[in-house]
Amino acid sequence: METIYTIGPSVIAAVTILLIATYTWNTMRSASIVLVVWGVLAIAIGQYSFFAGVSQWQASDWIGFLFFGALTFTPAGLLLVATGRLPSLTHHLAQTPTSVLVMTQVYRFGGVFLIMAYAHGQLPLSVGLVTGVVDVVVATTALVLSV
């Protein structure tokens, strides 16, 4: 069972990255390449347990926290800067149907793995159950709104 919620999120991430990269390949090839590189780094770093087995914050947790922050916010920051400097990217995003942008949130069905990890005592309530349920609700809403 542990293998399912260890490998499952990586599979969802890989499929999502490949689908988005394929969608943008013909119009924004550089964005596709950046996305794949970021995805490989995120999946690789995600295999490392930064917060293993300790319920209290440790000084060493800063490393994992900083990696998480960088992986979470760097793509959004780069996109923000790039749309201000690259008219072709701004044009491409303007031409992308809203339903496609909303559909990118469907990967959050991976929240099921957070719920499973919580059920097996691997995550605290606030991360496993609360975040897992929110992720599944967001994914379901994205699917409904984009279809």
Side-chain angles (χ1 to χ4, degrees):
M1 187 62 140
E2 187 172 319
T3 303
I4 291 173
Y5 61 79
T6 301
I7 295 174
S10 297
V11 170
I12 289 176
V15 168
T16 303
I17 291 161
L18 290 175
L19 287 173
I20 295 171
T22 301
Y23 182 83
T24 60
W25 184 256
N26 289 329
T27 54
M28 293 295 295
R29 188 160 294 170
S30 58
S32 295
I33 293 167
V34 168
L35 178 66
V36 170
V37 168
W38 173 80
V40 167
L41 288 172
I43 291 170
I45 291 171
Q47 300 309 306
Y48 180 76
S49 181
F50 290 104
F51 310 108
V54 180
S55 60
Q56 299 290 352
W57 182 267
Q58 305 292 314
S60 62
D61 289 343
W62 279 106
I63 295 169
F65 181 74
L66 292 173
F67 270 122
F68 174 78
L71 284 172
T72 302
F73 297 109
T74 298
L78 289 175
L79 183 62
L80 183 64
V81 169
T83 54
R85 296 180 184 250
L86 301 171
S88 62
L89 178 60
T90 305
H91 175 73
H92 175 69
L93 289 174
Q95 299 302 314
T96 303
T98 304
S99 60
V100 171
L101 297 174
V102 171
M103 185 64 88
T104 62
Q105 294 301 306
V106 172
Y107 80 93
R108 292 180 72 169
F109 275 119
V112 167
F113 298 109
L114 294 173
I115 296 168
M116 291 170 65
Y118 166 74
H120 287 93
Q122 300 288 322
L123 290 173
L125 176 79
S126 60
V127 175
L129 190 58
V130 174
T131 305
V133 169
V134 169
D135 278 352
V136 170
V137 168
V138 168
T140 304
T141 304
L143 188 60
V144 169
L145 290 176
S146 63
V147 174

